[in-house]
Amino acid sequence: MKVKILNLILAEIAVFIVVSIAGASPLSIFIPIKFLYLIAILPPVFSLLGRNPFDFPLFVILIAITSVKVLSNSELFYSLLDALYYLGFRSFAEYLNSIFVAYKSNPNISALSALVILFSVSQISWTIEDKFEELKLEIGYPLAILGIVALVIYLFYPTVLSFRAYGFPLLFLGLIGVALIVVATYLLAST
Amino acid sequence: MKARKVTYSLASTALFLLGLGILTTSYELVAVSIIPLLFLAVPYHVSAKVDYAKLSGGNHIGEEFEAEVKLVATGFGILKAMHELPNHFELVEGANAVATFVLGRSDVIIRYKARPMRRGKYRLDRIVLEIEHPFLAWERYKELKVDLELEVKQRLRRITKVETIRGVARSPMPDIDISRIGVPGTDFREIRDYVAGDPMKFVNWKATARRNKLMVNQYEVEGKKAVWIFVDSNTYMTFGKTIRNYLECAIEIANALAYYFTSRGHKVGLYVIGHGICLYPDVGKRQFKRISEELMRIEAGEESVDQAFENCKKLLSIYKPLIILITRPEYSKPTRFVSEAIKAKIPIQIIALKGAVEGDEFALTLFEILRRSSLKSLRRANMIEWDIDKPIRQLMVRVVG
């Protein structure tokens, strides 16, 4: 029950963050932002259905809304507009381009990372609750640690990501390096 | 290391974001796709050592024992510790497994009461540790060893009053029979011809003078008749429940009989059919202990009863003991065993075990007919049919009383 309430709060915060992102995205031109607050009904509904209030479908909806802003920085999106232009939908392509170009900005992951962190916390807490009950363990400790870890990630992840080498974030290069080592070890072990 | 539900959930979220990020060539989505994986990367480590482990009671089947094991755990994570028990142990109170969240240092005490339901020597030395990630993302296993051992014996069914009837040597009641071999006592038995090796002090000079040939006095030897218990441990004896089957019942009967006869000064021997284990007849508590220990170790084996008889034929002809064969005659078919024993003038007692058989009526009737016919062929031996679910005490009275 504790976890259900916690996840309900997390889901509502996530909805609030996403509506804020949507307000500063091209979506605000197509849909009145106040209608997006209707999404806030979903967490209690999920809760009443006995599901996790911050369930994966809600996360997909929130990511989809957020992605509209992401599209303004997406090369693929502009290539699609070029294709539309080439295929004869010139005015429509120009119209979309004029809207999205206006929202082009430097990548900022803080709001998106908050959304992902909230979802991850809700997934973890929802999954471990039953197991902890089964083991007759207090869930307080893991939840406190989860909160601390989430806060650390939120505060330091963007900073870590800003460390770059050869134009790429060091974190990505590190992950690619680890993956290569794992693959190399596997290949060497299998021969 | 084993992945859990939460791992799949976070990994699928990461893959979803990564896929979407690649599809939309979005740096932001690719960057945040790593976040769920960071939760999985939280390190965890728990090390544990045994502080003390103690065990009290439980020396006999069905007798409760109390176990207490204290572990000292250090590190960070969830520790699940389980004191592993054999299958046929019944937990009575408490739990043999505990879980705790370890943050720094923590004392873990496993305290429980259990009951062994089968005889044997058990090493209760394994403590299985399951160390889990604080968010239950991963788990790994470790094992600790403790110095705990439990020897579970059959509870001895003691017989205090036995009705004794004087009879000839081939009587199934050997309590008043005299041993064939042993040290001569002072009780006169008969006068017989001198045989080379007879001591001169036993020569009866009057009888010698009368018969005009050397005659000697024969005295009764000290000691009572030997009893040889044959316990069948072939695989068909293990039918039934693990804790109560034909073999367990046979062992219980053999143990009680061995105690009864050794405590009354008989020489008692044991043969385990199935393993060819043979303990020659001997007297005293030490012999009972040896028999009891051997019975405790019996597991299912394979050997025919005829083979068992062949193995001990020589000794049987010397001792002429009372043979007590505990078996399921419908499977062991000891017809030759019985006829050979009778031919050698060795008294034989068969304890034919029977148990509840489940099945349709026709099959049960057929089974009973076959069983009866196999028992009929053994009518020359003294036979007792015994239901394995009944208390042994009643059977004991019938055998030795």
Side-chain angles (χ1 to χ4, degrees):
Chain A
M1 193 62 193
K2 278 181 203 169
V3 169
K4 208 172 209 180
I5 294 164
L6 175 78
N7 285 1
L8 195 63
I9 296 165
L10 293 178
E12 294 299 349
I13 294 170
V15 170
F16 179 75
I17 291 169
V18 167
V19 173
S20 316
I21 296 170
S25 77
L27 195 68
S28 58
I29 293 166
F30 303 109
I31 305 168
I33 291 302
K34 59 184 175 188
F35 286 157
L36 290 178
Y37 280 110
L38 288 172
I39 300 166
I41 300 166
L42 284 177
V45 171
F46 283 145
S47 183
L48 287 172
L49 291 172
R51 294 170 68 174
N52 182 1
F54 200 169
D55 216 351
F56 194 72
L58 176 64
F59 179 65
V60 172
I61 293 167
L62 297 180
I63 286 291
I65 294 167
T66 318
S67 297
V68 179
K69 182 172 172 23
V70 169
L71 286 178
S72 58
N73 289 332
S74 166
E75 288 303 322
L76 186 83
F77 178 70
Y78 289 110
S79 64
L80 281 172
L81 289 185
D82 288 342
L84 280 176
Y85 188 85
Y86 178 77
L87 290 169
F89 302 99
R90 288 185 175 189
S91 54
F92 181 62
E94 277 172 358
Y95 170 68
L96 285 180
N97 187 45
S98 65
I99 292 168
F100 278 85
V101 163
Y103 287 93
K104 219 172 183 178
S105 62
N106 284 328
N108 182 5
I109 65 156
S110 63
L112 201 56
S113 66
L115 174 64
V116 176
I117 287 168
L118 290 175
F119 177 70
S120 300
V121 168
S122 91
Q123 285 293 299
I124 293 169
S125 58
W126 185 258
T127 316
I128 67 173
E129 191 191 24
D130 290 344
K131 192 76 184 167
F132 269 69
E133 254 176 44
E134 197 182 296
L135 295 172
K136 291 172 187 161
L137 287 175
E138 275 296 314
I139 202 164
Y141 271 130
L143 284 186
I145 291 161
L146 190 59
I148 295 165
V149 172
L151 191 67
V152 169
I153 292 172
Y154 181 72
L155 292 177
F156 296 103
Y157 183 65
T159 317
V160 171
L161 216 57
S162 67
F163 300 144
R164 284 169 178 266
Y166 311 107
F168 293 101
L170 271 176
L171 183 75
F172 288 3
L173 293 178
L175 285 174
I176 291 165
V178 169
L180 286 175
I181 287 169
V182 171
V183 170
T185 312
Y186 173 75
L187 289 174
L188 282 170
S190 61
T191 49
Chain B
M1 201 178 276
K2 202 174 148 190
R4 305 287 294 274
K5 194 180 168 189
V6 72
T7 317
Y8 288 117
S9 168
L10 294 176
S12 56
T13 307
L15 279 175
F16 166 71
L17 292 169
L18 183 70
L20 198 66
I22 290 169
L23 202 68
T24 55
T25 57
S26 164
Y27 167 76
E28 289 106 314
L29 286 172
V30 174
V32 296
S33 71
I34 296 167
I35 291 175
L37 304 180
L38 293 177
F39 285 95
L40 301 178
V42 172
Y44 71 106
H45 174 77
V46 177
S47 67
K49 59 178 182 180
V50 180
D51 191 22
Y52 66 80
K54 57 186 180 185
L55 201 70
S56 59
N59 295 319
H60 294 102
I61 293 173
E63 188 183 304
E64 272 182 28
F65 69 88
E66 194 172 350
E68 191 175 314
V69 181
K70 187 184 172 190
L71 306 175
V72 179
T74 48
F76 172 57
I78 297 159
L79 174 73
K80 287 195 266 178
M82 185 181 75
H83 189 206
E84 207 173 61
L85 288 176
N87 285 343
H88 24 264
F89 274 51
E90 199 178 270
L91 212 59
V92 179
E93 198 183 303
N96 63 332
V98 290
T100 185
F101 194 92
V102 182
L103 188 64
R105 187 182 183 278
S106 182
D107 290 343
V108 182
I109 297 173
I110 307 170
R111 193 185 291 125
Y112 64 92
K113 279 182 186 172
R115 190 184 289 150
M117 301 306 285
R118 194 169 183 258
R119 88 235 127 70
K121 204 170 185 177
Y122 300 100
R123 288 196 62 79
L124 307 174
D125 59 346
R126 280 186 75 205
I127 294 182
V128 181
L129 300 179
E130 203 178 316
I131 298 156
E132 293 208 40
H133 190 268
F135 309 144
L136 304 179
W138 315 99
E139 64 182 350
R140 55 172 177 250
Y141 295 91
K142 270 188 187 176
E143 201 179 295
L144 284 179
K145 289 278 177 193
V146 285
D147 191 23
L148 287 180
E149 204 176 75
L150 190 67
E151 198 175 300
V152 183
K153 292 176 186 166
Q154 288 277 359
R155 196 173 278 281
L156 203 58
R157 312 287 169 190
R158 291 175 193 229
I159 304 298
T160 49
K161 192 183 169 191
V162 178
E163 194 183 318
T164 51
I165 308 159
R166 182 165 269 284
V168 290
R170 63 176 77 95
S171 156
M173 269 70 79
D175 206 29
I176 51 169
D177 290 343
I178 303 301
S179 175
R180 269 174 64 88
I181 56 170
V183 182
T186 52
D187 293 342
F188 177 78
R189 187 198 277 177
E190 61 181 351
I191 297 171
R192 60 169 173 79
D193 290 351
Y194 173 83
V195 182
D198 279 342
M200 288 305 285
K201 67 174 180 181
F202 289 163
V203 175
N204 187 326
W205 296 109
K206 280 184 185 173
T208 304
R210 256 200 314 271
R211 294 276 188 99
N212 204 19
K213 60 175 180 179
L214 274 174
M215 301 297 285
V216 289
N217 289 341
Q218 171 89 50
Y219 296 95
E220 293 283 8
V221 289
E222 281 180 355
K224 291 176 182 173
K225 194 169 184 65
V227 178
W228 207 319
I229 303 166
F230 282 73
V231 178
D232 191 353
S233 73
N234 278 294
T235 40
Y236 49 77
M237 294 293 284
T238 55
F239 291 170
K241 296 169 197 160
T242 324
I243 54 171
R244 189 68 185 168
N245 54 34
Y246 294 91
L247 183 60
E248 293 305 316
C249 182
I251 289 166
E252 199 176 347
I253 293 169
N255 199 33
L257 287 172
Y259 179 78
Y260 177 79
F261 288 118
T262 49
S263 63
R264 275 156 185 80
H266 290 274
K267 283 186 173 179
V268 181
L270 175 77
Y271 190 93
V272 182
I273 306 169
H275 296 280
I277 298 165
C278 182
L279 294 180
Y280 298 134
D282 206 345
V283 288
K285 277 185 181 173
R286 210 168 147 189
Q287 174 70 354
F288 169 68
K289 208 178 162 195
R290 281 173 64 206
I291 290 173
S292 198
E293 276 171 8
E294 206 55 66
L295 288 171
M296 208 173 69
R297 281 198 286 268
I298 296 180
E299 294 295 335
E302 208 163 315
E303 188 186 10
S304 70
V305 284
D306 297 338
Q307 184 61 46
F309 188 82
E310 282 301 319
N311 290 347
C312 324
K313 203 173 180 179
K314 268 188 180 174
L315 283 162
L316 289 173
S317 62
I318 296 168
Y319 284 102
K320 300 273 183 194
L322 161 67
I323 295 175
I324 299 177
L325 172 64
I326 309 165
T327 186
R328 294 180 74 187
E330 68 270 26
Y331 285 97
S332 60
K333 304 206 184 313
T335 324
R336 209 180 126 223
F337 186 108
V338 170
S339 59
E340 291 268 341
I342 290 170
K343 206 192 289 174
K345 293 183 177 171
I346 302 167
I348 179 164
Q349 170 84 65
I350 296 177
I351 298 174
L353 300 176
K354 62 173 183 178
V357 186
E358 284 176 15
D360 65 81
E361 209 174 317
F362 177 70
L364 288 177
T365 315
L366 203 63
F367 180 76
E368 191 57 26
I369 291 167
L370 290 170
R371 207 176 70 81
R372 286 273 154 218
S373 76
S374 62
L375 294 185
K376 216 172 173 184
S377 65
L378 304 169
R379 62 183 178 272
R380 284 193 298 162
N382 293 290
M383 183 150 35
I384 292 171
E385 273 192 77
W386 191 253
D387 192 331
I388 59 165
D389 294 318
K390 280 186 183 173
I392 297 299
R393 196 178 168 84
Q394 290 174 25
L395 171 81
M396 293 294 296
V397 173
R398 285 180 65 186
V399 173
V400 296

